[in-house]
Amino acid sequence: MAVAMDDLLQSVELLLRILKKPPPQPYVNPDLDPVLLVPGIAGSILNAEDDNGKTERVWVRLLAADYTFRTKLWSRFDPSTGETVSLDSKTRIVVPEDRYGLYAIDVLDPDMIIGRECVYYFHDMIVEMIKWGFQEGKTLFGFGYDFRQSNRFQETMDRFTAKLESVYNASGGKKINIISHSMGGLLVKCFMCLHSDVFEKYVKNWIAIAAPFRGAPGYITSTFLNGMSFVEGWEQNFFISKWSMHQLLIECPSIYELMACPNFDWEAVPRLEIWRDKLDSDGNSTIMLESYGPEESISIFKEALTSNMVNYDGVVIPLPFNTEILKWASETQSVLSCAKVPPQVKFYNIYGTNNDTPHTVCYGTEETPVKDFKELPFFKAKYICIDGDGTVPTESAMADGLDAEARVGVPGEHRGILCDRHVFRILKHWLKVGEPDPFYNPLNDYVILPTAFDMEKHREGGLDATSLKEEWEIISKGQDDQGINIDENKQLVSSLCVSQVEKDQCSEAGACAAIVVHPQSEGNQHFEFRAVGVSTAC
């Protein structure tokens, strides 16, 4: 019955995709340089392909989601090749290439039922960029990948090379703007270090968004001990259980590569804290708070996961903390530390702020302490937070170690930042879409910029005269914000006069002012303010 329902669901999904009418193609700007979007961890749709070429979606899906995830995606790391290999030897994991790679990173929700923002990925950005004149397959592309693998996995590096070459050719030999999100920034940085000649040949600009350049300490610590939920709230019921995800990630080099960099000069060192109930030599119970730094925490991970195992197809498979993957991840961090931006490429960094972000993780309390480290996976983590995007600390995302053209902090949540209007404005400015805006400041989307200021004071025959002239521009928030609502083709002039006589009748003052509002030009509003004031005194 389950198989029949599964086939029915896949048939309906396929039918919906066929029946979906593509949105009308808006204005296409043939002069734009191509853009390649690179997602982060778990940000690519994955399919399982069997020996006969039949494929089925394994990430993300609805019906039998957890079962299919466990049977098709659960893996073991092969230290001889650096590859994480599925336990199911009859299938291989592939990324769909529909819509020039954009389908796999657009909306991760299966094509029916939910359609909520919790599983949107690059969807809003793709929609926005198409409005700007980008065209799928000509100037807009996506690169999905198997996020279980290391960020320097050779097969991924080879696919990325081929992708850059195909984008370059499809766009008529134009250099590429890469926009990466989250762990995608580490993948791009690894590629830039290992294949700098290819990177320089094909890439014009690289814009990293919310990249964990120095790790995501709190997020990864709790992932090792408790797993992670891809979505929160009731929607979890439609996806993968936290425990199933935990067993997958224990064997994923990409997760180990997101651990806190031990040599980074953190403002506050991320720590693992545990309330312990320990017995002294006399058998007396002592409750104390133990604290471990990034390197010391590894011994805790090892002990906590000593007995971790899964039952796969009737076979019990041990899944402890994997020291072979840890060695591989250490080498990856060494690669990342050597990366440099090639001379002909410009690098930009956007990072999230204003969100409580896990940094130090605490287990147990003084009332309910931990007696055995093997109990840790059953304790709920509590966090000491710092500023960031809710997943990546600001100081980690800022510390790219590269020669950056600009670094801009944007208040936003880790995935939500991809649909932030402020980020869209910044991207539009950096990608040079439309006419250049010389007054735009990416730090503030709403800019009031004085362009001229002139004041003169003059005294003669008991009269004090002051004249003031000022001009300024208001640069609106975006295309939908048209500033002051006036006829765009007419100039608006308004004047105001005031006078004042003091109570002693001994002095008086008067002033007249005129405001001129010029017609809008390219979304900007130009104002002129002129005023003259005169005062007399006894």
Side-chain angles (χ1 to χ4, degrees):
M1 182 67 178
V3 174
M5 286 295 293
D6 190 26
D7 289 341
L8 176 62
L9 179 61
Q10 292 186 47
S11 299
V12 174
E13 288 180 0
L14 178 60
L15 178 63
L16 289 176
R17 288 174 61 184
I18 293 173
L19 293 178
K20 275 184 179 179
K21 294 183 179 180
Q25 184 69 272
Y27 163 71
V28 173
N29 186 347
D31 298 325
L32 293 173
D33 293 323
V35 168
L36 177 63
L37 305 176
V38 182
I41 191 165
S44 304
I45 290 173
L46 300 180
N47 291 335
E49 183 178 87
D50 63 19
D51 295 335
N52 298 319
K54 181 183 177 181
T55 62
E56 65 173 321
R57 183 168 174 160
V58 294
W59 176 266
V60 178
R61 56 180 289 155
L62 291 179
L63 191 64
D66 200 70
Y67 172 78
T68 305
F69 181 89
R70 286 184 277 115
T71 55
K72 302 296 183 181
L73 275 184
W74 271 2
S75 318
R76 294 302 301 270
F77 177 74
D78 183 350
S80 65
T81 62
E83 181 178 10
T84 293
V85 184
S86 295
L87 294 177
D88 182 4
S89 60
K90 298 178 181 179
T91 64
R92 67 186 190 96
I93 301 303
V94 295
V95 181
E97 291 291 340
D98 310 50
R99 291 174 47 209
Y100 310 96
L102 292 169
Y103 168 73
I105 65 172
D106 187 343
V107 179
L108 303 185
D109 173 35
D111 289 341
M112 58 186 300
I113 310 294
I114 299 181
R116 293 175 61 87
E117 292 184 2
C118 64
V119 285
Y120 278 13
Y121 207 95
F122 274 112
H123 178 74
D124 293 87
M125 187 177 293
I126 292 170
V127 171
E128 186 70 16
M129 296 184 77
I130 289 175
K131 291 179 182 177
W132 297 345
F134 286 93
Q135 183 181 12
E136 294 186 8
K138 294 293 184 182
T139 51
L140 188 58
F141 305 82
F143 180 76
Y145 56 95
D146 183 352
F147 51 81
R148 300 174 304 166
Q149 309 297 342
S150 166
N151 287 293
R152 61 182 176 93
F153 181 49
Q154 189 57 51
E155 183 177 319
T156 305
M157 298 289 96
D158 292 342
R159 287 186 59 245
F160 198 67
T161 297
K163 190 70 178 186
L164 291 177
E165 183 177 359
S166 67
V167 172
Y168 181 82
N169 292 333
S171 61
K174 293 181 179 179
K175 284 198 170 185
I176 303 161
N177 298 296
I178 297 176
I179 300 177
S180 64
H181 176 250
S182 191
M183 192 183 75
L186 300 189
L187 187 153
V188 174
K189 192 176 182 183
C190 280
F191 185 88
M192 185 176 68
C193 183
L194 297 172
H195 304 279
S196 59
D197 54 338
V198 178
F199 197 83
E200 185 170 20
K201 178 180 178 180
Y202 293 121
V203 178
K204 180 178 182 180
N205 300 306
W206 169 30
I207 302 172
I209 302 177
F213 285 113
R214 302 297 175 175
Y219 186 72
I220 296 304
T221 294
S222 60
T223 293
F224 277 133
L225 295 174
N226 308 110
M228 94 174 152
S229 298
F230 184 66
V231 297
E232 300 297 336
W234 66 267
E235 290 91 348
Q236 290 183 46
N237 297 321
F238 292 97
F239 294 96
I240 313 303
S241 73
K242 198 171 184 178
W243 180 82
S244 294
M245 183 67 93
H246 184 212
Q247 306 313 313
L248 172 77
L249 298 179
I250 291 295
E251 289 290 306
C252 290
S254 56
I255 288 294
Y256 290 69
E257 290 166 354
L258 295 175
M259 295 173 69
C261 291
N263 299 323
F264 179 59
D265 186 19
W266 297 93
E267 290 185 16
V269 177
R271 309 193 73 81
L272 169 60
E273 297 183 344
I274 304 173
W275 282 99
R276 291 288 309 280
D277 185 358
K278 302 179 70 175
L279 298 177
D280 61 21
S281 57
D282 297 325
N284 299 317
S285 176
T286 302
I287 298 174
M288 59 188 299
L289 181 64
E290 297 180 343
S291 183
Y292 306 88
E295 292 182 301
E296 299 168 312
S297 299
I298 293 172
S299 63
I300 309 302
F301 298 151
K302 291 179 182 178
E303 188 169 346
L305 297 173
T306 299
S307 303
N308 186 54
M309 60 186 64
V310 297
N311 188 316
Y312 184 83
D313 199 21
V315 179
V316 175
I317 301 175
L319 288 179
F321 182 81
N322 197 316
T323 55
E324 292 293 341
I325 299 181
L326 183 64
K327 293 177 183 177
W328 180 278
S330 296
E331 294 175 8
T332 301
Q333 290 192 346
S334 297
V335 170
L336 291 169
S337 66
C338 298
K340 293 182 180 180
V341 180
Q344 302 302 318
V345 180
K346 292 184 178 180
F347 169 70
Y348 302 84
N349 185 349
I350 298 175
Y351 54 89
T353 65
N354 288 25
N355 283 268
D356 288 338
T357 303
H359 193 59
T360 286
V361 186
C362 183
Y363 289 92
T365 65
E366 197 168 3
E367 293 73 27
T368 56
V370 177
K371 295 183 179 181
D372 187 336
F373 285 147
K374 295 183 181 66
E375 299 175 350
L376 286 175
F378 306 101
F379 275 78
K380 185 176 181 179
K382 296 182 180 179
Y383 302 107
I384 297 174
C385 296
I386 60 175
D387 188 41
D389 61 23
T391 299
V392 179
T394 293
E395 64 175 317
S396 173
M398 290 179 64
D400 47 67
L402 302 173
D403 184 11
E405 298 293 317
R407 297 183 182 90
V408 179
V410 176
E413 183 268 335
H414 187 65
R415 281 212 309 272
I417 201 171
L418 290 178
C419 57
D420 186 273
R421 307 301 300 182
H422 187 93
V423 171
F424 291 164
R425 182 89 191 264
I426 295 170
L427 294 178
K428 192 173 183 181
H429 180 67
W430 285 345
L431 296 175
K432 294 181 171 57
V433 177
E435 293 297 322
D437 187 347
F439 303 114
Y440 176 60
N441 177 2
L443 295 176
N444 187 347
D445 258 358
Y446 191 77
V447 182
I448 300 179
L449 183 67
T451 58
F453 180 83
D454 188 22
M455 177 182 287
E456 292 184 0
K457 292 185 177 181
H458 182 67
R459 181 178 180 85
E460 183 176 346
L463 296 177
D464 288 323
T466 302
S467 64
L468 173 67
K469 177 183 177 182
E470 186 171 355
E471 299 179 23
W472 67 91
E473 300 269 347
I474 291 184
I475 301 175
S476 59
K477 295 180 181 178
Q479 293 176 339
D480 297 330
D481 184 354
Q482 296 301 320
I484 295 194
N485 186 21
I486 64 170
D487 189 327
E488 293 184 351
N489 298 316
K490 293 183 179 180
Q491 178 174 279
L492 176 65
V493 180
S494 184
S495 61
L496 176 68
C497 293
V498 294
S499 62
Q500 180 179 358
V501 178
E502 298 295 329
K503 293 181 179 180
D504 58 7
Q505 303 291 316
C506 192
S507 61
E508 61 179 301
C512 289
I515 298 177
V516 180
V517 183
H518 295 277
Q520 289 190 38
S521 175
E522 299 175 356
N524 299 343
Q525 202 87 58
H526 185 81
F527 290 78
E528 292 182 27
F529 176 82
R530 299 187 182 94
V532 176
V534 179
S535 63
T536 63
C538 300

